[in-house]
Amino acid sequence: MFRKKFGEAIRELYETSISANEVAILHLKYSGVIVRTASQVFAFDVADLMGRSDIELLRELNALLYTHGHYDHYSRDHAKMIQSKTGAYIIAEPSVAADLRGAIPEEKLVSARPGETFDLNEFKVTSIEGSHVGPITLFIVEGKDLVIFHGGDSSYVPLEDYRADLALVPTGSPSPTASPRSAFKMVSALKARAAAAFHGTSSQHNEFLNMVKSELPQVNAIALEEGKVVKIKVK
């Protein structure tokens, strides 16, 4: 795949000044994002979207999470490179974790079976079974500063028992399961304070944003742009 260079954006991500009630988000492509809070950094579904020179620019990274093994979400070689550079935990859908077993330190690998919560001292991760073509695990990450939900490219599944400050949600294309309505339902069920749309077309993002504006006006909602860093208030 054609790989965009993210060097300047990665530098900007780490240098952006943020308060305890804000996050800085770098959107790579699809549902690949790096989220920096006031004191922690989490990456999700980064696939092979970053090149080696980009990976070398990564500084602290608390965890790298993979919802499933599709090519636009996961790359074994890149997972190894990122973990080696940063020392991050890798928390992954079980088939992805099985693929990484032996490739990274065992103590840094978590197989995220749906319905379980993993306490990794400085943050907790709860895994939720999503709905997609094949197995997919959605994540609630409870960090020092706030709670983040990542919806992969799943359609809606019941989330009323969970809460998140920030919901990262897919609106559609090229996913056969995600949609603006599913993304809206995720944000509503989670009672999120802020939402960011990815993994969809501009028109799908706009449809989602219009629903939020109309029915959840208290939610600070945006559409992410590939290769751009955005700062968003979450509390």
Side-chain angles (χ1 to χ4, degrees):
M1 103 176 26
F2 171 76
R3 187 178 295 118
K4 191 172 184 176
K5 291 189 176 180
F6 295 103
E8 287 304 314
I10 291 171
R11 291 187 184 94
E12 181 183 350
L13 176 75
Y14 283 105
E15 293 168 4
T16 295
S17 175
I18 54 176
S19 64
N21 66 342
E22 296 175 317
V23 294
I25 307 170
L26 169 58
H27 182 214
L28 303 175
K29 192 177 175 70
Y30 306 118
S31 60
V33 290
I34 306 175
V35 181
R36 180 175 155 250
T37 74
S39 60
Q40 294 176 303
V41 185
F42 303 99
F44 301 83
D45 282 3
V46 298
D48 63 350
L49 298 169
M50 290 186 290
R52 188 179 296 273
S53 62
D54 296 325
I55 292 169
E56 287 301 313
L57 293 173
L58 295 174
R59 302 178 194 174
E60 68 273 16
L61 183 65
N62 296 85
L64 172 59
L65 300 98
Y66 291 105
T67 62
H68 62 301
H70 288 173
Y71 79 94
D72 53 338
H73 297 258
Y74 167 67
S75 161
R76 186 177 193 266
D77 289 343
H78 286 71
K80 289 168 58 179
M81 283 192 285
I82 294 169
Q83 202 286 323
S84 177
K85 171 62 173 63
T86 65
Y89 282 98
I90 292 186
I91 300 116
E93 181 276 321
S95 67
V96 173
D99 187 56
L100 285 168
R101 191 153 286 116
I104 67 168
E106 189 69 23
E107 67 274 13
K108 290 292 186 174
L109 180 62
V110 176
S111 180
R113 294 173 296 278
E116 296 189 354
T117 296
F118 307 91
D119 189 342
L120 298 170
N121 296 321
E122 305 223 334
F123 60 94
K124 293 181 181 179
V125 176
T126 297
S127 57
I128 303 164
E129 186 173 6
S131 176
H132 193 42
V133 180
I136 185 170
T137 299
L138 315 184
F139 294 110
I140 297 274
V141 179
E142 183 180 350
K144 291 181 178 179
D145 308 296
L146 53 94
V147 181
I148 302 165
F149 169 80
H150 189 284
D153 60 342
S154 172
S155 63
Y156 178 75
V157 294
L159 297 169
E160 286 79 7
D161 291 338
Y162 305 97
R163 295 291 177 265
D165 298 307
L166 172 66
L168 302 163
V169 291
T171 66
S173 181
S175 170
T177 51
S179 71
R181 173 56 64 177
S182 284
F184 170 80
K185 290 174 67 179
M186 289 177 177
V187 174
S188 179
L190 291 163
K191 292 182 167 51
R193 302 180 184 192
F198 53 32
H199 210 296
T201 64
S202 294
S203 62
Q204 288 170 325
H205 290 343
N206 288 335
E207 183 180 346
F208 162 75
L209 293 174
N210 287 336
M211 283 189 279
V212 173
K213 183 178 180 181
S214 173
E215 301 183 48
L216 299 171
Q218 75 278 12
V219 176
N220 184 13
I222 61 169
L224 298 177
E225 297 182 50
E226 291 177 16
K228 302 292 185 182
V229 175
V230 63
K231 183 165 69 171
I232 183 171
K233 185 172 289 188
V234 296
K235 291 184 179 179

